[in-house]
Amino acid sequence: MGCEFLQLNGWSEGKEHQILMSKKGTVTYKKKVIPNAAQPKATTAHNRKKNYLLQEGSQIPPLIDMGVFTKEGNVVRTMYDKFRQINRFIELIDDAVGSVDKPCWHIIDFGCGKSYLTFILYYYFTEIKKQPVEIIGLDLKADVIDKCNAAAKKYGYDHLRFELGDINGYQAPFDVDMVVTLHACDTATDYALYNAICWDADMIFSVPCCQHELNAQMQTDTLSLFTRYGIVQERMAALTTDAIRGNLLTCMGYKTQLLEFVDLSHTPKNLLIRAVKSPSMSKRTRQTQLDEIHAVMETFHAEPTLYRLLADAGRFSSYTNADSGS
């Protein structure tokens, strides 16, 4: 109440209760006697079944091979957490994709690893959205790439392939619509975000990992409280890194959100950066967020990799104050 709702109605034996909130925040309570027959029927079924995008009972080969589904398409009893986590990831994708309909989605997955979510992403577009998609997964481990390509062939995922390569300097073979990067370690996330910006990707989904860079750089005389204790500095550095990344994406014209995302391995790395291209992003908003970055960099005597990459490429040239903060 006070955010989305201004009225709450409740019923007890023979009475109706109302809590009302004005737009100025004033709260009033009202009660009136009503016949029992006029009351809404009580609902006792609280455990309603959630309508997942990836529904139990469906034949989803990657989930079967992952051990999440049985061969009959039922969720393995001990794998419900992973099932919910995978659905959460797809929900975040679906929320951004919405009703956007492209002739073919072109997606790059940086640091794809064993590619569980890459396969699910392919399934989402082809089977749920019924839209053509071409996905390239990129990783540094040759054995992983071979296994993933074999699995894609097994599933008949003809427009999903995996390549051996580094995030830094990768040349995409098509115009990129979406970049996904899950648990790219430390500055590898920065290079992935930088490439996505340079490709003018419509959407970016990133779950950062191991943000060590700022932790090694941070020094401050005015906010030493945050650098005095090692564990506090480590967490502060990680959050600051991702807050700066969010601002930088906004500076580059993306509507950016930092969302809670519970990953597949139950680690504390549960923050997802979701950025969607927004042509209407004002220069004033971009400049304000760039000024905030400069203030943090000056306070902690730090310069994140993504900022440096964008500055070196002249991506801040449209901001009159861009040269004042490094």
Side-chain angles (χ1 to χ4, degrees), residues 151-163:
K153 184 176 181 181
K154 171 186 173 183
Y155 301 145
Y157 291 178
D158 297 332
H159 298 285
L160 170 61
R161 69 180 188 273
F162 298 88
E163 298 179 4

Side-chain angles (χ1 to χ4, degrees), residues 279-305:
S280 61
M281 188 72 65
S282 70
K283 288 187 177 182
R284 176 176 295 181
T285 297
R286 298 185 190 191
Q287 182 64 60
T288 298
Q289 300 218 9
L290 186 61
D291 290 342
E292 292 174 352
I293 294 169
H294 289 156
V296 171
M297 289 169 55
E298 183 177 356
T299 299
F300 290 104
H301 304 286
E303 184 180 70
T305 291

Side-chain angles (χ1 to χ4, degrees), residues 4 54 81 111 117 152 164 168 182 188 195 226 230-231 233 245 280 290 296 310 315 318:
E4 297 184 30
L54 304 173
D81 283 343
L117 290 181
L164 185 67
N168 185 16
L182 306 179
N195 278 10
F226 295 114
I231 190 170
Q233 177 170 326
R245 286 167 173 164
S280 61
L290 186 61
V296 171
L310 293 170
R315 303 288 297 202
S318 60

Side-chain angles (χ1 to χ4, degrees), residues 35-78:
N36 287 337
Q39 297 190 32
K41 293 182 179 180
T43 300
T44 57
H46 296 294
N47 296 324
R48 289 177 296 177
K49 184 176 180 180
K50 181 172 174 60
N51 187 23
Y52 289 115
L53 284 169
L54 304 173
Q55 295 184 359
E56 186 173 5
S58 304
Q59 289 296 313
I60 307 178
L63 290 183
I64 295 174
D65 286 351
M66 290 165 60
V68 176
F69 276 6
T70 64
K71 292 182 179 180
E72 294 74 29
N74 298 318
V75 179
V76 176
R77 182 177 58 83
T78 58

